């Protein structure tokens, strides 16, 4: 069923993240070694967001968001070249994300979660890691540090 909607046939790494209510992770991406991510919630509920940050993309700077939960069993696919973030909405949330590329710490990049140009309506006051609190605005990231769009 994933192939029918154009998702990649292979994922190389599975990650599990556990967060408490209000924890906001993101907006993260890798460059090089861009990752596609298929997200599911195993416990609790999150508000999940993908932002198109591919230079030259017709949807650059636009985002999509979805509420994912263990109860609704929805999934979100974040294509390579998009930044990803989520906020735990329940007391605890356990998130599984399958990745199309291995994690490379040296390739990790971030966009500020509260970038006013993106206007993402996070629902709760955020609990943030330093790397997320200190991330740059999208407009302040050099083009060379953004993924490049290639038309399908």
């Amino acid at each position: 069923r994933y192939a029918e909607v154009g998702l990649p046939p292979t994922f190389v790494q599975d990650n599990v993240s556990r967060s408490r209510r209000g924890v906001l992770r993101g907006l993260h991406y890798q460059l090089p070694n861009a990752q596609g991510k298929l997200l599911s919630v195993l416990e609790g509920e999150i508000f999940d967001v993908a932002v198109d940050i591919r230079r030259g993309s017709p949807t650059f700077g636009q985002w999509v968001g979805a509420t994912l939960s263990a109860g609704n069993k929805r999934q979100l696919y974040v294509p390579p070249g998009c930044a990803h973030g989520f906020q735990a909405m329940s007391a605890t949330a356990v998130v599984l994300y399958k990745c199309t590329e291995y994690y490379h710490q040296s390739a990790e990049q971030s966009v500020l979660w509260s970038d006013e140009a993106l206007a993402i309506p996070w629902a709760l006051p955020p609990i943030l890691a330093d790397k997320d609190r200190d991330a740059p605005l999208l407009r302040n990231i050099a083009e060379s540090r953004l993924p490049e769009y290639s038309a399908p």
Side-chain angles (χ1 to χ4, degrees), residues 61-79:
Q62 295 179 27
W63 61 271
V64 297
T67 298
L68 308 182
S69 72
N72 71 19
K73 297 180 180 19
R74 294 177 71 192
Q75 295 180 298
L76 179 69
Y77 181 68
V78 179

Side-chain angles (χ1 to χ4, degrees), residues 67-126:
T67 298
L68 308 182
S69 72
N72 71 19
K73 297 180 180 19
R74 294 177 71 192
Q75 295 180 298
L76 179 69
Y77 181 68
V78 179
C82 291
H84 171 252
F86 68 88
Q87 186 173 43
M89 305 303 292
S90 52
T92 59
V94 178
V95 179
L96 169 68
Y97 47 108
K98 302 180 78 55
C99 300
T100 61
E101 174 62 57
Y102 292 104
Y103 172 73
H104 299 275
Q105 185 175 10
S106 62
E108 188 174 51
Q109 311 284 329
S110 296
V111 176
L112 187 64
W113 64 277
S114 61
D115 188 325
E116 290 181 4
L118 300 176
I120 299 169
W122 303 104
L124 301 172

